[in-house]
Amino acid sequence: MDQDRQEGQTKVQPQMDDVEARQAIDHGGNLARAGLQFPRAPKPWIDLSTGINPHPYAYSPIPATAFSRLPEPDDLARLKHLAATAYGAPSAEHLAAAPGTHILLPLVIEAVFGTLSGAGRRAAILSPTYGEHARMAKLSGFETLEVEAFEALFDADLAVVVNPNNPDGRLVGAADLLALSRHMAAKGGLLVVDEAFMEVIEPDESVAGAVHDGLVVLRSFGKFYGLAGVRLGFAVAPVAIAQKLAARLGPWAIPGPTLSIGLQALADRDWQTAMRARLAADAARLDALLAAADLPVCGGTTLFRYLKHAKAPAIFAHLGGGGILVRAFAARPVCLRIGLPEDGAWKRLEKALETKSWRD
């Protein structure tokens, strides 16, 4: 048996340099690459390869001062207060705001474990999942394992769980996560729970309200609000860790335009409630289209659906040739993730699925 894959564990090789690690991770949303792969595909592309809400929040015009002045500290304080309320965090003092959650994991690691954080320590990532977490742990010096069993996380110094998971929607219960986090706290370790897609879960299983020394929660703004380019994310953490993160990020980490949009969207509870219902209806509509094409859904959230099919590469190629990009996985060639179409794209997707050329 391969020594680097035993009992559902995959080691990320420590000799892999940063360029190789970055190239090894394939993300959705790359339309330039899709154009090279399918040069004859009709335009415009229908990009279903991400898990981003296709119905973005309709924010009011951004004031000119948001561009011409440095961000105001009071606006950041208000943003953190609104985010704490939205996410069920104990208080705004438990939050650090960042330009997206991607930047936060290495800063959280540094805040908890110190500068040479990973030396002699082990990280475990509940997988398959978003690939950047394993890469960030490896770059922080951890011996990094991707594990398929939740129980395997207990042996690590750093454990990472995406909940609900991307791409398959797996949901670990809050009680299990809190038991793991208490175990981590007792031995000086850390559990990081990435709740990037938690807003669409009803009732949610967030653990953001229970942060303590063994637990940090990451929350993403762009996916649920359909504004990924705004670049906004939060760490919900014990106050001391949140303060360390804020100090490392500096006074103007969140740009003025992002603050303006975030303040509007996080306060709009009516929009949030209505959007959860709309996404659930869209997901049911997508399930019906896929079922009609003999493509049963086996997982996902209301922002994306997850399929396993022996002809997944042919389905990917068929849709790509029609200008519809879905998410394929090199390491899991029988799997596909399909996001929700925009309002004007449903008929084109339905027509493409009716053809079923992959059966030939």
Side-chain angles (χ1 to χ4, degrees):
M1 180 182 292
D2 186 345
Q3 293 181 349
D4 291 333
R5 183 171 181 81
Q6 298 180 10
E7 298 179 357
Q9 300 184 359
T10 303
K11 182 184 291 185
V12 177
Q13 294 294 343
Q15 68 267 25
M16 182 184 293
D17 65 29
D18 184 31
V19 173
E20 291 173 323
R22 185 166 59 248
Q23 290 174 340
I25 299 171
D26 184 23
H27 298 292
N30 192 331
L31 294 181
R33 182 180 58 198
L36 293 174
Q37 191 171 6
F38 302 104
R40 298 181 180 178
K43 305 297 188 297
W45 278 97
I46 297 175
D47 185 5
L48 308 183
S49 68
T50 74
I52 299 168
N53 186 350
H55 314 298
Y57 182 78
Y59 54 87
S60 300
I62 299 172
T65 53
F67 297 92
S68 62
R69 294 180 55 84
L70 288 171
E72 290 285 347
D74 285 351
D75 286 342
L76 179 60
R78 288 198 298 129
L79 181 78
K80 290 167 61 177
H81 174 75
L82 288 170
T85 301
Y87 301 147
S91 72
E93 286 70 32
H94 288 78
L95 267 71
T101 55
H102 177 78
I103 195 175
L104 282 169
L105 183 59
L107 296 183
V108 168
I109 289 171
E110 178 186 293
V112 173
F113 294 103
T115 50
L116 298 176
S117 50
R121 295 188 174 99
R122 175 179 290 189
I125 320 295
L126 190 60
S127 297
T129 193
Y130 177 62
E132 291 291 342
H133 292 321
R135 187 173 77 88
M136 289 295 102
K138 180 264 165 187
L139 291 175
S140 296
F142 287 82
E143 177 189 0
T144 303
L145 301 174
E146 297 184 47
V147 303
E148 297 176 5
F150 180 78
E151 293 74 16
L153 299 173
F154 283 78
D155 293 332
D157 301 290
L158 168 68
V160 180
V161 177
V162 179
N163 203 51
N165 189 45
N166 170 20
D168 61 7
R170 176 197 60 228
L171 189 66
V172 179
D176 290 334
L177 291 171
L178 292 176
L180 174 58
S181 68
R182 289 191 290 268
H183 172 81
M184 288 293 179
K187 64 177 184 176
L190 177 69
L191 168 64
V192 176
V193 181
D194 181 349
E195 295 185 347
F197 294 98
M198 186 57 74
E199 276 94 340
V200 302
I201 301 297
E202 292 187 292
D204 70 44
E205 286 278 344
S206 176
V207 292
V211 292
H212 55 81
D213 286 345
L215 175 64
V216 171
V217 175
L218 304 181
R219 298 294 294 245
S220 173
F221 174 85
K223 295 178 178 63
F224 177 60
Y225 291 96
L227 297 170
V230 166
R231 307 308 303 143
L232 178 61
F234 300 89
V236 186
V239 173
I241 294 176
Q243 290 174 342
K244 287 182 180 180
L245 294 174
R248 287 287 279 114
L249 288 161
W252 304 297
I254 309 303
T258 296
L259 280 171
S260 177
I261 295 170
L263 287 168
Q264 294 179 49
L266 287 169
D268 196 340
R269 305 306 292 270
D270 290 341
W271 183 92
Q272 295 160 21
T273 299
M275 183 51 61
R276 290 187 184 97
R278 181 175 186 179
L279 292 174
D282 281 359
R285 181 179 179 182
L286 179 57
D287 287 352
L289 286 184
L290 294 170
D294 299 322
L295 299 175
V297 171
C298 65
T301 71
T302 56
L303 281 173
F304 57 84
R305 311 310 266 168
Y306 188 65
L307 311 178
K308 290 184 179 180
H309 196 283
K311 295 290 187 68
I315 298 167
F316 174 82
H318 167 75
L319 293 174
I324 301 172
L325 183 62
V326 300
R327 183 76 163 86
F329 304 92
R332 301 182 301 283
V334 299
C335 298
L336 295 172
R337 189 190 68 194
I338 303 179
L340 299 178
E342 297 178 357
D343 287 340
W346 284 96
K347 289 184 179 180
R348 195 165 143 199
L349 175 62
E350 182 176 6
K351 183 177 179 180
L353 289 172
E354 286 174 349
T355 307
K356 302 181 190 177
S357 68
W358 58 87
R359 287 185 167 182
D360 297 340

